[in-house]
Amino acid sequence: MKAEKGTFVVLASGRGSNFQAILDKAAEGYIPAVCKALITDNPDAYAIERARAAGIPGEVVSFRSFSDKQTYETALIAAIQKYDPDLVVLAGYMRILGSEIVRKYSGRMVNIHPSLLPSFTGLHAQQQAVNYGVKVAGCTVHFVTEDMDAGPVIIQRTVPVFEGDDGDILADRILIEEHKAFPEAIRLFFERRLRIEGRVVKIGNAHSPSPGRDD
Ligand code: GRF
């Protein structure tokens, strides 16, 4: 008997090019799992169009329509729970999540950040890299923990930084690698090859136990 495919939802706030890369890789079978929904905090996010084109539900949980962060997050958790996903993927989701949601999805929520963490956390990471003068930059896919951009690292990919680069040029170069790194990390998760040991992620063979779920 064939095991049922794993499921994930994607949270994105804007353009959604990572979301698209993930959808494409799931459609071609590289990611052995099904995307159940897009959830966004931004009613104008282009990612909504991408979800529509792919025939995937797009849910808007708009931050502005809630009186405070707590009620917003309660609604966000409810929106995610509706799909009961194995994995929550933050693909350009521009809000810092509170501890309740992060704990609930501990070990099964991943984020992409456009720097080689732990360097250049937070906003405008690519511009930070240019300003600092590093010669190598890149992206990081990591598990989400309560500290921003600080969770266990799954995959990093690098790019060179050239003299004359500005933040936008570097961002475009890094984005190409993001579109490879994120699907690869998600694939590893669904192949059950990621094991979190303290703050280190070990990548095992296809039979390693997964981080598991506890809800
Ligand atoms: C990406 O650079 C991602 O690393 C960062 O936000 C950007 C989102 O781009 N967190 P897109 O919406 O996936 O095109």
Side-chain angles (χ1 to χ4, degrees), residues 61-139:
V61 184
S62 172
F63 185 76
R64 268 168 285 162
S65 47
F66 296 90
S67 52
D68 55 51
K69 192 168 175 190
Q70 184 55 51
T71 35
Y72 166 72
E73 288 217 352
T74 302
L76 181 60
I77 290 172
I80 296 171
Q81 274 300 100
K82 206 167 109 184
Y83 298 97
D84 191 26
D86 299 309
L87 181 70
V88 177
V89 176
L90 307 185
Y93 180 73
M94 301 310 282
R95 291 190 182 280
I96 296 171
L97 295 173
S99 52
E100 184 187 350
I101 188 165
V102 170
R103 280 200 212 119
K104 186 168 182 58
Y105 293 101
S106 172
R108 51 198 193 93
M109 182 186 277
V110 291
N111 179 48
I112 192 157
H113 183 73
S115 79
L116 296 175
L117 291 172
S119 294
F120 312 130
T121 58
L123 291 175
H124 311 302
Q126 305 95 330
Q127 188 63 54
Q128 291 184 53
V130 168
N131 294 349
Y132 198 91
V134 292
K135 305 301 184 198
V136 178
C139 62

Side-chain angles (χ1 to χ4, degrees), residues 126-206:
Q126 305 95 330
Q127 188 63 54
Q128 291 184 53
V130 168
N131 294 349
Y132 198 91
V134 292
K135 305 301 184 198
V136 178
C139 62
T140 304
V141 184
H142 63 91
F143 284 105
V144 175
T145 57
E146 287 181 57
D147 296 323
M148 185 188 66
D149 297 334
V153 170
I154 303 169
I155 283 184
Q156 295 184 301
R157 291 183 71 97
T158 60
V159 301
V161 183
F162 298 119
E163 279 176 33
D165 279 354
D166 60 21
D168 291 341
I169 290 172
L170 182 59
D172 288 346
R173 195 176 302 129
I174 293 172
L175 195 64
I176 293 167
E177 302 308 312
E178 293 186 39
H179 294 166
K180 298 174 193 160
F182 220 173
E184 187 179 354
I186 295 167
R187 174 183 163 104
L188 288 170
F189 179 88
F190 282 106
E191 287 179 339
R192 307 173 74 84
R193 292 171 61 187
L194 302 179
R195 204 170 62 247
I196 304 172
E197 291 185 9
R199 69 147 298 109
V200 175
V201 177
K202 300 270 175 72
I203 302 178
N205 61 37

Side-chain angles (χ1 to χ4, degrees), residues 19-89:
F19 171 48
Q20 187 69 58
I22 292 162
L23 285 180
D24 292 347
K25 290 294 181 186
E28 75 185 42
Y30 175 82
I31 294 174
V34 178
C35 181
K36 300 296 265 189
L38 167 81
I39 299 170
T40 183
D41 57 323
N42 173 12
D44 301 321
Y46 185 66
I48 298 168
E49 295 303 318
R50 298 182 190 272
R52 192 172 297 145
I56 288 167
E59 304 247 359
V60 180
V61 184
S62 172
F63 185 76
R64 268 168 285 162
S65 47
F66 296 90
S67 52
D68 55 51
K69 192 168 175 190
Q70 184 55 51
T71 35
Y72 166 72
E73 288 217 352
T74 302
L76 181 60
I77 290 172
I80 296 171
Q81 274 300 100
K82 206 167 109 184
Y83 298 97
D84 191 26
D86 299 309
L87 181 70
V88 177
V89 176

Side-chain angles (χ1 to χ4, degrees), residues 1-35:
M1 197 176 78
K2 201 160 176 275
E4 238 179 70
K5 270 193 172 183
T7 60
F8 60 97
V9 296
V10 174
L11 272 60
S13 300
R15 157 183 76 174
S17 71
N18 277 287
F19 171 48
Q20 187 69 58
I22 292 162
L23 285 180
D24 292 347
K25 290 294 181 186
E28 75 185 42
Y30 175 82
I31 294 174
V34 178
C35 181

